[in-house]
Amino acid sequence: MSYSIQLYTVRKALEEDLAGTIQRLAEIGFTMVEPYRFVAKAAELKQAMAENNLTAPSGHAPLLSDDQDAIFAAARQLGIGTVIDPHVPIERWNTIEDIKETAAQLNAAATKGAAYGVRVGYHNHWWEVESVIDGKTALEHLADHLDPEVVLELDTYWAAVGGQNPADLLARLGDRVKFIHIKDGPITSDPSSQLAVGDGKMPVWDVLAAAGSLEAGVIELDDFQGDMFDAVRDSYNYLSAGKVSA
């Protein structure tokens, strides 16, 4: 499998030197990136990606709050095939009515995105799986009300923080999940405790084995106590080396 990286991971470096940061990621071995809030920097990103032979199959943008036409136009410019809304607030996941409304908004965004040749997805945090209604996680209820063309990007770490076995949740969500976020750490909600993939408590290989319809596995660290590029390189190398038998 080829691995992508969510550019939010290296956001501080990107702000200081976008072109140099993209080049460093390519030198680690990445062939794909997942941009975030990419509208304002689309031209600069496109150039840096082209210079380093990088593609962006997916990208994050606040579809439910920002200008969707601007987002989809920038996505098309960058070759982003799937735009993923990264965050619907915690209070919107406690009732079926609210979940249906979020699904309706994502379905409407998908209809608009289709005119640009762009697919729409949603990315979870822990609260969408911590909330359980009638024996089913709020995220699964969302999936029930999404149009077939709307996909999910399961953040497997946040799913574990929310109390779910991420491999089991992947199996239940099935081919709706086209992307996953791969991260590691002690499985707590504190981003600063996150670790390079392979250094924490996540059952990384079980998760990957359960993701049967994956288009890309996306490495992400929300934060790290150390040199972020060391953690990114260690994560990439661990995953690229494949499962190591004990």
Side-chain angles (χ1 to χ4, degrees):
M1 180 192 296
S2 296
Y3 295 98
S4 182
I5 179 167
Q6 166 54 247
L7 291 181
Y8 182 78
T9 304
V10 291
R11 59 195 176 277
K12 293 174 184 173
L14 275 175
E15 288 164 11
E16 294 168 6
D17 180 8
L18 186 146
T21 299
I22 297 297
Q23 183 179 347
R24 287 183 74 180
L25 294 173
E27 288 168 352
I28 287 171
F30 288 100
T31 58
M32 301 183 292
V33 295
E34 184 175 73
Y36 70 99
R37 287 190 175 271
F38 47 79
V39 174
K41 293 185 175 179
E44 190 179 359
L45 254 179
K46 182 179 181 179
Q47 181 177 346
M49 286 166 53
E51 288 171 354
N52 292 282
N53 297 311
L54 290 168
T55 61
S58 57
H60 279 201
L63 285 167
L64 304 190
S65 59
D66 286 14
D67 182 335
Q68 290 180 1
D69 288 294
I71 290 169
F72 291 134
R76 190 163 62 180
Q77 182 182 356
L78 287 164
I80 294 172
T82 305
V83 172
I84 297 163
D85 189 284
H87 174 266
V88 169
I90 191 168
E91 63 271 11
R92 299 289 299 165
W93 296 96
N94 298 317
T95 69
I96 294 293
E97 290 72 25
D98 282 346
I99 293 167
K100 283 182 178 179
E101 175 58 29
T102 296
Q105 292 175 4
L106 288 166
N107 291 340
T111 299
K112 180 170 279 193
Y116 290 86
V118 177
R119 186 171 59 177
V120 163
Y122 181 72
H123 160 278
N124 62 287
H125 288 76
W126 65 85
W127 48 83
E128 300 93 336
V129 301
E130 199 169 58
S131 172
V132 176
I133 305 167
D134 297 331
K136 185 185 289 190
T137 66
L139 185 66
E140 290 170 272
H141 282 292
L142 177 73
D144 289 343
H145 295 286
L146 291 174
D147 290 342
E149 61 269 21
V150 183
V151 303
L152 294 176
E153 176 177 62
L154 188 72
D155 189 305
T156 57
Y157 188 78
W158 288 142
V161 171
Q164 293 293 315
N165 178 308
D168 291 349
L169 183 58
L170 278 165
R172 295 200 302 274
L173 290 168
D175 61 8
R176 177 77 73 170
V177 179
K178 299 301 184 189
F179 302 91
I180 60 172
H181 274 184
I182 307 166
K183 59 177 77 161
D184 212 340
I187 310 183
T188 70
S189 59
D190 174 16
S192 67
S193 69
Q194 290 175 17
L195 300 168
V197 177
D199 288 349
K201 294 183 176 180
M202 283 292 289
V204 174
W205 302 109
D206 292 345
V207 165
L208 287 167
S213 298
L214 212 57
E215 295 176 11
V218 185
I219 294 168
E220 182 185 40
L221 290 96
D222 296 289
D223 204 350
F224 180 66
Q225 298 301 308
D227 187 306
M228 183 59 84
F229 277 95
D230 287 345
V232 168
R233 185 178 294 104
D234 289 347
S235 298
Y236 179 85
N237 289 342
Y238 176 79
L239 289 167
S240 297
K243 186 170 184 177
V244 179
S245 57

